[in-house]
Every structure is written in C-alpha cells, then in structure tokens.
Amino acid sequence: MKQRAHMDGDVMIAGFFPLYILGIDHGSSEDSRQGDLTPFPFSSATGGTQSWHFGSPNEAGLLRLRSLYVYSQILEPVWASEVLVRVLKDYQLVLALAFAIEQINKNPSLLPNMTLGFDVYDVQFRGWKVFRNPFTWLFGKYKIPNYSCMRGSRSIAVLTGPSVITSDQIGTLLGLYRFPQFTIGSFDQSLSDHNKFPALYQMAKKDTSITTAMVSLLLHFSWNWVGLMTSQNENGVSVLAELKEEMAKNRLCVAYEVVISSQDLQHLYNIMGNYNDINKASARVLIIYGDQDSLKALMLGIEQVLIKGKVCIMNSQWDFTLKRKYFMLGSLHVPLIFTHHYADVSGFTDFVKAIHPSKYPEDFVLAKLWFLSFNCSYSESDCVTWDNCAHDASLDWLPGHIFDMTMSGDSYNVYNAVYSVAQALHELLLHETEVQTLGNRKETVLSPAQMHPLLKSIQFHNPSGDQVILDEKSKLEPEYDILNIWNFPEGLELAVKVGKFSPYAPHGNQLSLSENMVEWAIEATETPHSVCSKSCDPGFRKSPQEGKAACCFDCTPCPENEIANGTNMEHCVRCEDHQYANTHRTKCLLRVASFLAFGDPLGLALACIALCFSMLTVTVLGMFLKHQDTAIVKANNRALSYNLLISLIFCFLCSLLFLGRPKAVTCILQQITFGVVFTVAVSTVLAKTVTVVLAFKATSPGRKIRWLLVSGAPKFIIPICTLIQITLCGLWLGTSPPFVDTDVHSEHGHIIILCNKGSLTAFYCVLGYLGFLALASFTVAFLARNLPDTFNEAKFLTFSMLVFCSVWITFLPVYHSAKGKVMVAVEVFSILASGAGLLACIFAPKCYIILVMPNRNSLHGFRDKKHGLSQQLSNLGIKSRPLSDSTAKCKPN
C-alpha cells in the first residue's frame, strides 16, 4: 500500500491525505510494491518506542532517496523550494494527528484504559486510483471489494481531505458501510446531503456570515464597485446569491461576475477570453470565493491575466507553492483573506521542534523532509547518515513562509476530529461498561456504526477552550481572522493577521482592522479606491446614469434653498421656511427677519415725508381757519375744504401703519384706514366739484338745480360714498381679512414679514371703488373747467384728480412687479403721492393768494373783478347777479 504512515494503538483512526508528493515510486516490480506495505517505525518524541511506519529503508527506498537528491539538483532552486513548502504543508496534517493522539493517550481522564493509533494513506487524484488505498484499507486488497482479507480491523473512524473532491469520492464508499468520516477541509454544501453521505461529519463551520464580513470590509474602505469570482458548485452559487443580496442592501454594486470550474479546462479558456472586460474594468477590488481545488486551478491558469493589479478578498488562503517563479510583486495586488478564527493550540510548537531524524532513524518521510530542508550531502554508502547535517537543526529554523510552526486551519480541524472521536468513544465505553453485568464481563467489541448517535449529539470544549459541535444545525457562527500577505522583500509571502470579524459583536463594531498593518502594492501610497463614480461632495446629489448600476451616477448641484450636508446624498433636503441654504448648499442658516422698519433708510424717509405732509396739511388747515372769513376760503364751501384737509391729514398718517413690524391689528387697520380715509377725501373732492357745477347752473329761481344747491344736497355725497366703501371693507373683513405673512424668496438670507391682503378681489374692489370716485370727480370737474375762473377751482380739481388717477394707475404694474419691502414701499409712496397731489393741486393756489396776493382775497378786489365776471357770464348767456353766501360765499362778514 503506497505511503502508509502508522502508529499502533488499541483503536485506530485512518487518514487519507494528499501525501503523493512525499515520495515518488518509479519502481514497477512486485518487490517494490510489496516494499510499500512494510511498516515504518516512528518513536514518540517524549521517549519510548512507538511504531510509526512509512515504507522501509530497503534498496528500493534508498534508490528513491537517491533519485530525489538528483532530481533536486537539476531543478531550479525556486521550484525545489516550492516542492519543499508543499511537502511540509501536507506533512503538518500528519503531525497534528500524531500530536492529538499523543495528548489523548497521556490524558488519564480520557480513554484511561485504551490507546489510540492511526494509519495515514496517500490519496491520488487520478480517476479511479483515488479508491485504491481506501479499498485496500477496507478489504485488504484493491481488486476484491466486499470481501475482507484482513482480520480484526481496529479502525473506528476516517479522516479525509482537505480536498472536497476526495472527501466526496471517498465518502460515497464509506457511506455504504456507515463508517464515520470526518472531513478536514472547508465546509461544502454538497457534503451536507445526509442521504448521499449518511456517515459524514464536516469539521469546518459553515460560512454563514462570510458575506456580511466581506461587505463590512468593503464598507470600511468605501469600495462600492466590485468584481465577483466564485467556484461553479453548490457552495459558490449559494454564496454568490447571498453576497449580491447583502451588497444590494448596502448599495454596493457588482461590476462583473466570473464563475470558475476546476473540472473544465475549456471553461478556463473562456474566462481568459474575458481578459479585456475584467482587467480593464474600473473595479479594482475582486472578491474570490471558492474551495481549494478551484483556487488551485485559478492560480495555475488565469491568476496573472485576471487579477493583475487587483485587491483580492478571499475566503481561503492562496496556495503560493503553485505560483512558481512567475510570481511577481504586485501581480496579486494585495490579498485580504478571511479565515476561520481558532485558538492557539499550546504544546504543538514544542512538539514540532522536537522532531528530528536522529531520534527517529527509520522515519523515511522525515528523512526526505530533512534532506530537502537542510541540503544534507549525499552519501555513497547504502546507508544514509545524518552526520553531514547540522546536529541541532530543527524545523523552526525554516522561514515562516516555508514552514509555519503554528497549527494551520486544516490541521486544527484534524485536531478537533481526533478529539471528537475520543470523546464519543469515551462515552460509548462508559455506556458499554454500565450495561455489562459483573458476572458476564466480556471484552467489548466496538463497531463504527455505534459511534453515530454519540457523534451527532456531541458537544465539548477542546483543550484550547473552543467549543466543538458536529451537528450542523447547532454549530455556532464562525469568527474570522483577516490575513494580509506580506511579500516584501519578494518571496517573503508571510500571512499577517490585520483584523478580525465577529458576528457576536454589536452592530457597527463587528469589524476591527489595523489599517496601518495592511501592505498594499509597492507602488501604492494610499488605500486603493474602487468606485464606478467619484463621490458627490456636499452640496451635490447623485443623479443616476441611465442603463447603468446604481453606483454609477453624475453629481448634480442642489436646487435653490436645498442642501446636501453629506457625501453621495440621494436627494437634497429643502431648508425650512425660516432657514436658507448657504452658497455651497451644504447647510441651512437662519433667515434674518426683515420688514419695512422705521429704522431702515427707506422706512425712515417715508415716515419723515408722511409726517412732513401731515404737518403741512395741518398748517394749511390752520391757515384756512385763520382766514375763514376771506373770499377765497368762503368762495368754495369752506366746510368741504376743512373736511378735505382733515381727511388728507389722516391719509398721510395712515401710511405710517405700513411701517414697522406687521401685526394682525396693523395689517387690518392699514388697509381699512387707507380705503375709508381716501374715500372720504375723494368723495369730498367730488362734492366740491358738484357744488361748483350746481353753483353755476342755478341761475334762475325755481329751478330744481337751485333747490339742490340750497338744500345742501352735495354734502350727502360724502357719507353715502363712505358708507359704500365701509360696506366693501366689512365684506372684505368677513370673507378673507388681511393677515401677517412671510416672504422667503425676495431677499436671499432674509425672511420678509409683511401683510398679506387676504382677498385680492376685495382689495381691488376697494381700490377700484376709489378709482371710480376719482374718475367721476375728474369727469365732473373737467366739464366745469370753462366756467368763469374767479374763485372757480374746477380746473384745480380736474388736475388733482388727474394726478390722483395717474398715481394709482401707475401703482398697479409697479406693485405687482415689486417684491418684499419694496412692494410695501410702493404702496406707501402711492398713498403719499396721491395725497400730496390733492393737497398741492387744490390748496396751493389758494395758499398762494392768501399769503402772496392778499389784495385778491378781499371784497374790494372781488368788485374790481365783478365787471369781468359779469361779462363772462353774459358771454355764456347768464345774467349777472349777486351770489348768496350759500353759493359763491363772497359776501364779507
């Protein structure tokens, strides 16, 4: 039987590991094949002789050793070093098995009356030859299945792996005989089929949180544009779906997908055909998930062309022994590897240090390792002596990338598998002891099938403190160590732990990473970036690109009064009404309250003008009261003049209601007061105009016009017109009264407080009614403009109404085009301008006569003009006669 390693014990554990590279048998004779069956003695490192067999140092073995020496001399050094690394890596599985069994055999509380041993066999990857050693182990001969040529087999369990392929193929055979099988490789979904593999137990934990761990790493480095590469098996398909779902939840995008098949060479060629699509993609991060077999195929076939310059995130450590000399620094940009976290096994390093060929002279495997590791010279004699090697040489002399003294993940699974067998066997023996009667004590015959009920329910803590559970449904989620391969200087290839992921930590603290320990490419000066589009800075929002992934977008500035205070914002946020966006659209600032205040230059100017006009009007009123008995005051109905002057005073003063911080009361008063007092003023002008016309039309006694004039009918125009306006204002207040409002658009950074008209229809009705009265006054005054001009103010009334109408007609378009405080200022200015127009056009000429030409404001002056007046009346066909006080009012007191 090829490559059989053996250590004797009461109960045996078989192991099928890839030890094909530990020896090359070029012989074909029956003697050579028979020599392979010879045990190889191995002594315990702690003293005493235990048989640990691996071939015999006969002539055929010596020839193989000499062949290996010659082979190593003609190979280039790099390849020889890679062979050595592979040899040592595979051999550690045997060391872990031996170490665990030695610990158990020394433990008095575990299997106290029984010792464990092992048989380790080579597994070949060449078709049906994979079954050669399992068949021989089961039946004694390769070509006679189901017929055992062996007597008293003491094997109780089988360890297979780390390759999933060999575990699958051997498991199909072992399942027929219900032989407990422990796989030491990574967890594979296909091996969980208990119908196909009823006796198989996977030591590795299922990668239930690997997708969360990888996505957490992507989020940590802000990598959102990633390529995916998985193996074409049930495991890869399942993880790929979970990974894409987890990435979608965190808004990460897949740039491309590649599926690897280790079985189909044509498939590798197809992948290499996508070289341009993958290598030219902007995604600089590549997630690789697959078993060891898929990764080996990737390393051998496509690593150089597919992942050159990429940051690779993997679930398994690369087998760098397969890269050979073509490995160049930077071709594999930087590998970040997620491996299952496990506790350090104390004593294993000391156990490995104690291994030495001088202590175990018949250990042919160890001889080969020593020969390759320490360049021992070749001896011409038939016997190999170790005098030419360093006497104190030890495996810990080897560099870390050649041989790792710490236990690997696969070796740790071997360690746990041995302890699982020991624990189940211990419970089985206890149970058998309890059921045996004291009088009929017989030797216990153990059957492998008896182990299954115990193995399925077993839970224990190994000597390192880790909990071991074989039931897949009860297994805890694994924690992950994050490894980074340091390859500077070139060839170092040292796996360094740079971080950890624990699914049991609070959300947000599950990933811990020492970023400064990560070795990026030699030319890199900062952390690599892998994004489809550059991040949108604050003040911009993401705008998706049509037909592309969500991670591909354009950056669009936020609209007016909207902000984005973070990077890569999906939407801009509108500022509240009392806030405004700064220039960069990154934050909202409080608006400054603004209104047409008395302290503002414009407000102060308007207030001063209003007060000045008010004082001027008061002065004119005082002047008229002082000269109330003069002809110019009495000639045009002084009562109406007083009424007009008082209304103008209130017109000027009502403009002050528009200044200052608006309140609900002032908003109502300013519009109502404006409408009423101006109605009084304009209706007074209308009454004066009608009075003038009636005075000149009432020329003969008995006419109705004279009766209207004598009865004082014009005086009723004022209350009637005012009452109509008050009614309109009442309807306005009852339906939609003015209220305090804000304007956030007129001035940047300011919130303008103003009075909203409430109902614009009501406002324009009030204003339109004033316009109607003004137009009526203007029409009547215009018709009376050619009457005799002595104390006839028809022309002045006409001109005043013309000014009044011009101001308010101009007001409408300006008012609608103005915003904010300017709109209020326009309304105030219109009030002042129209009031000033009435004051100036009607009373300025009279004041001029009173102050500058007093001779024309007397009875004597009036008589000097009487002839002229009579002549004018004659020209109009009217007889001249003295005017009574009720009409002309020119009779002196």
Side-chain angles (χ1 to χ4, degrees):
M1 185 182 299
K2 282 193 175 184
Q3 310 297 356
R4 177 171 178 251
H6 171 79
M7 186 172 74
D8 196 23
D10 297 330
V11 177
M12 305 297 291
I13 299 176
F16 294 95
F17 302 145
L19 302 177
Y20 57 92
I21 203 168
L22 294 178
I24 303 173
D25 184 10
H26 300 287
S28 58
S29 65
E30 185 65 27
D31 294 337
S32 175
R33 290 192 294 271
Q34 186 67 29
D36 290 333
L37 295 173
T38 306
F40 175 79
F42 176 77
S43 299
S44 172
T46 60
T49 302
Q50 296 186 12
S51 294
W52 198 65
H53 305 275
F54 203 123
S56 61
N58 55 12
E59 184 176 356
L62 181 61
L63 288 174
R64 289 196 297 273
L65 180 60
R66 292 177 179 176
S67 300
L68 185 61
Y69 175 80
V70 175
Y71 186 60
S72 65
Q73 296 298 314
I74 62 176
L75 285 175
E76 48 186 324
V78 174
W79 173 236
S81 176
E82 291 164 358
V83 171
L84 176 61
V85 173
R86 185 58 186 269
V87 169
L88 293 170
K89 181 178 179 181
D90 293 336
Y91 187 64
Q92 196 191 70
L93 301 176
V94 182
L95 293 177
L97 178 60
F99 173 70
I101 289 180
E102 183 177 308
Q103 270 191 338
I104 294 171
N105 290 341
K106 291 180 179 180
N107 189 350
S109 61
L110 186 61
L111 298 177
N113 299 319
M114 182 178 292
T115 60
L116 293 179
F118 66 84
D119 289 302
V120 177
Y121 305 94
D122 173 37
V123 175
Q124 302 183 48
F125 291 90
R126 290 173 291 182
W128 280 100
K129 289 188 177 182
V130 71
F131 294 107
R132 176 186 294 273
N133 287 337
F135 264 65
T136 306
W137 167 74
L138 277 173
F139 312 118
K141 290 188 178 181
Y142 171 56
K143 296 183 179 180
I144 310 178
N146 292 329
Y147 180 82
S148 178
C149 300
M150 301 173 63
R151 293 182 179 180
S153 175
R154 293 173 293 168
S155 297
I156 199 71
V158 177
L159 276 59
T160 62
S163 171
V164 176
I165 297 176
T166 57
S167 295
D168 184 307
Q169 293 174 336
I170 296 175
T172 304
L173 174 64
L174 297 178
L176 298 175
Y177 302 96
R178 301 284 295 173
F179 221 98
Q181 177 188 1
F182 298 85
T183 63
I184 63 172
S186 58
F187 184 90
D188 193 272
Q189 194 70 32
S190 62
L191 298 180
S192 297
D193 186 354
H194 296 293
N195 294 323
K196 182 179 180 181
F197 306 104
L200 188 144
Y201 303 92
Q202 299 193 65
M203 298 307 301
K205 296 179 181 180
K206 185 178 181 181
D207 286 323
T208 53
S209 56
I210 185 68
T211 56
T212 306
M214 289 183 171
V215 169
S216 297
L217 186 65
L218 297 179
L219 294 174
H220 177 83
F221 288 110
S222 300
W223 294 330
N224 63 5
W225 190 234
V226 184
L228 300 181
M229 184 177 289
T230 59
S231 54
Q232 193 179 33
N233 52 30
E234 189 175 353
N235 246 20
V237 172
S238 174
V239 170
L240 179 62
E242 293 177 9
L243 189 58
K244 291 169 69 174
E245 181 181 357
E246 189 70 21
M247 290 177 64
K249 289 180 182 178
N250 293 274
R251 299 183 179 181
L252 306 178
C253 301
V254 179
Y256 55 86
E257 299 178 25
V258 178
V259 180
I260 306 170
S261 173
S262 59
Q263 304 293 318
D264 187 2
L265 185 61
Q266 182 61 38
H267 189 71
L268 295 181
Y269 295 148
N270 294 337
I271 295 175
M272 295 178 69
N274 297 327
Y275 166 75
N276 289 332
D277 295 338
I278 296 175
N279 223 27
K280 293 183 179 180
S282 58
R284 298 185 63 185
V285 175
L286 176 62
I287 294 180
I288 303 176
Y289 187 92
D291 52 43
Q292 288 285 351
D293 302 311
S294 299
L295 294 179
K296 289 176 184 176
L298 177 66
M299 293 294 298
L300 289 172
I302 59 176
E303 181 266 341
Q304 284 295 305
V305 294
L306 282 186
I307 59 177
K308 184 177 181 180
K310 305 290 183 183
V311 178
C312 294
I313 302 174
M314 296 174 286
N315 70 307
S316 297
Q317 187 168 340
W318 289 84
D319 192 350
F320 285 99
T321 60
L322 295 175
K323 296 190 68 174
R324 302 181 60 181
K325 194 174 181 179
Y326 64 70
F327 178 85
M328 294 183 297
L329 182 64
S331 63
L332 181 62
H333 192 234
V334 52
L336 294 170
I337 306 163
F338 283 85
T339 61
H340 288 186
H341 172 77
Y342 54 88
D344 293 332
V345 179
S346 62
F348 180 74
T349 302
D350 296 333
F351 174 81
V352 175
K353 286 180 180 180
I355 299 294
H356 196 280
S358 62
K359 294 182 179 180
Y360 317 114
E362 296 182 349
D363 186 343
F364 190 63
V365 179
L366 190 58
K368 290 182 179 181
L369 293 178
W370 229 258
F371 182 82
L372 290 172
S373 301
F374 303 107
N375 294 323
C376 300
S377 60
Y378 168 65
S379 174
E380 293 293 337
S381 64
D382 291 340
C383 297
V384 176
T385 62
W386 302 107
D387 294 338
N388 297 324
C389 298
H391 294 285
D392 56 347
S394 175
L395 290 177
D396 64 340
W397 283 19
L398 300 177
H401 68 283
I402 298 295
F403 181 75
D404 193 355
M405 297 291 291
T406 60
M407 188 175 285
S408 67
D410 292 339
S411 297
Y412 189 71
N413 289 335
V414 171
Y415 183 77
N416 284 337
V418 174
Y419 265 92
S420 298
V421 173
Q423 291 286 346
L425 186 59
H426 185 79
E427 293 186 17
L428 179 61
L429 291 175
L430 291 177
H431 177 72
E432 292 292 332
T433 303
E434 291 177 358
V435 298
Q436 287 177 353
T437 61
L438 296 175
N440 298 317
R441 194 183 189 104
K442 295 182 179 180
E443 184 179 353
T444 302
V445 179
L446 300 177
S447 169
Q450 293 178 278
M451 301 279 288
H452 289 296
L454 298 171
L455 290 174
K456 291 178 180 179
S457 61
I458 194 170
Q459 294 187 17
F460 67 94
H461 288 84
N462 64 15
S464 298
D466 281 352
Q467 188 177 23
V468 180
I469 303 174
L470 298 186
D471 183 26
E472 293 178 9
K473 297 180 180 180
S474 303
K475 283 185 178 181
L476 301 177
E477 290 188 69
E479 295 181 317
Y480 295 94
D481 290 333
I482 304 175
L483 305 181
N484 177 228
I485 303 301
W486 288 7
N487 196 49
F488 185 81
E490 182 178 352
L492 178 63
E493 297 172 5
L494 180 64
V496 180
K497 180 180 175 180
V498 296
K500 181 181 179 180
F501 178 86
S502 175
Y504 307 106
H507 185 72
N509 298 321
Q510 295 176 319
L511 178 70
S512 59
L513 189 70
S514 300
E515 224 174 303
N516 58 332
M517 293 183 63
V518 180
E519 183 184 88
W520 305 110
I522 192 171
E523 71 278 2
T525 57
E526 59 181 11
T527 303
H529 300 282
S530 184
V531 294
C532 181
S533 301
K534 291 184 178 180
S535 298
C536 292
D537 295 329
F540 294 83
R541 65 174 179 86
K542 294 196 297 185
S543 179
Q545 296 179 359
E546 186 176 356
K548 293 188 178 181
C551 298
C552 302
F553 50 82
D554 297 320
C555 296
T556 305
C558 288
E560 181 72 23
N561 208 38
E562 293 186 10
I563 65 165
N565 55 4
T567 57
N568 292 333
M569 296 283 288
E570 296 285 346
H571 304 283
C572 297
V573 180
R574 178 171 291 278
C575 294
E576 297 182 8
D577 289 341
H578 65 281
Q579 296 177 328
Y580 70 99
N582 63 347
T583 307
H584 299 291
R585 306 286 198 275
T586 56
K587 59 181 178 180
C588 292
L589 304 176
L590 288 175
R591 293 181 181 271
V592 179
S594 177
F595 48 87
L596 192 58
F598 289 99
D600 290 346
L602 181 59
L604 182 60
L606 293 174
C608 291
I609 294 174
L611 292 175
C612 290
F613 279 132
S614 299
M615 295 303 295
L616 181 61
T617 308
V618 171
T619 303
V620 173
L621 178 59
M623 186 185 301
F624 268 56
L625 291 174
K626 183 179 179 181
H627 301 85
Q628 60 180 337
D629 295 329
T630 59
I632 194 67
V633 175
K634 296 170 65 176
N636 293 283
N637 198 327
R638 58 186 175 186
L640 293 178
S641 298
Y642 297 156
N643 190 72
L644 180 57
L645 287 171
I646 293 173
S647 63
L648 287 176
I649 293 173
F650 284 104
C651 286
F652 292 129
L653 292 178
C654 79
S655 63
L656 298 178
L657 293 172
F658 291 83
L659 305 179
R661 188 182 186 92
K663 298 179 182 178
V665 175
T666 56
C667 287
I668 294 175
L669 287 178
Q670 63 183 213
Q671 301 299 333
I672 302 304
T673 304
F674 159 73
V676 172
V677 297
F678 262 90
T679 300
V680 173
V682 176
S683 61
T684 301
V685 174
L686 179 61
K688 288 176 70 67
T689 308
V690 171
T691 300
V692 171
V693 173
L694 292 178
F696 284 97
K697 294 297 182 180
T699 56
S700 58
R703 296 186 61 181
K704 291 183 179 180
I705 294 179
R706 179 179 177 81
W707 175 82
L708 291 174
L709 182 62
V710 174
S711 63
K715 295 179 181 180
F716 293 99
I717 294 177
I718 299 174
I720 293 173
C721 293
T722 304
L723 184 60
I724 294 175
Q725 184 69 289
I726 292 175
T727 303
L728 292 176
C729 292
L731 293 175
W732 184 3
L733 295 178
T735 55
S736 180
F739 58 91
V740 179
D741 199 4
T742 56
D743 177 12
V744 297
H745 305 291
S746 298
E747 295 184 25
H748 181 71
H750 292 77
I751 178 169
I752 299 176
I753 303 174
L754 46 76
C755 291
N756 190 298
K757 299 296 187 292
S759 173
L760 286 177
T761 303
F763 172 71
Y764 286 121
C765 286
V766 171
L767 200 61
Y769 180 69
L770 281 176
F772 168 75
L773 293 179
L775 185 62
S777 300
F778 173 77
T779 304
V780 175
F782 181 79
L783 295 175
R785 71 186 186 284
N786 291 324
L787 294 176
D789 60 354
T790 302
F791 303 126
N792 179 16
E793 57 183 358
K795 291 182 179 180
F796 303 130
L797 295 176
T798 302
F799 189 67
S800 67
M801 288 297 99
L802 180 62
V803 172
F804 184 89
C805 292
S806 300
V807 168
W808 288 106
I809 290 175
T810 308
F811 161 80
L812 293 175
V814 177
Y815 181 80
H816 282 284
S817 61
K819 297 293 182 181
K821 295 190 293 185
V822 178
M823 183 173 63
V824 179
V826 167
E827 190 170 359
V828 173
F829 178 80
S830 299
I831 292 173
L832 297 177
S834 58
L838 293 176
L839 180 64
C841 294
I842 297 175
F843 295 99
K846 298 179 179 180
C847 293
Y848 177 79
I849 293 175
I850 293 173
L851 297 176
V852 180
M853 303 180 67
N855 59 320
R856 295 184 59 184
N857 193 23
S858 63
L859 182 61
H860 176 72
F862 171 73
R863 287 177 177 174
D864 290 341
K865 296 292 182 178
K866 184 177 180 180
H867 178 71
L869 176 59
S870 300
Q871 186 64 36
Q872 291 178 17
L873 292 174
S874 299
N875 293 336
L876 294 173
I878 303 174
K879 286 187 177 183
S880 176
R881 64 184 199 73
L883 295 177
S884 64
D885 184 59
S886 63
T887 56
K889 299 295 181 180
C890 59
K891 183 178 179 180
N893 294 336

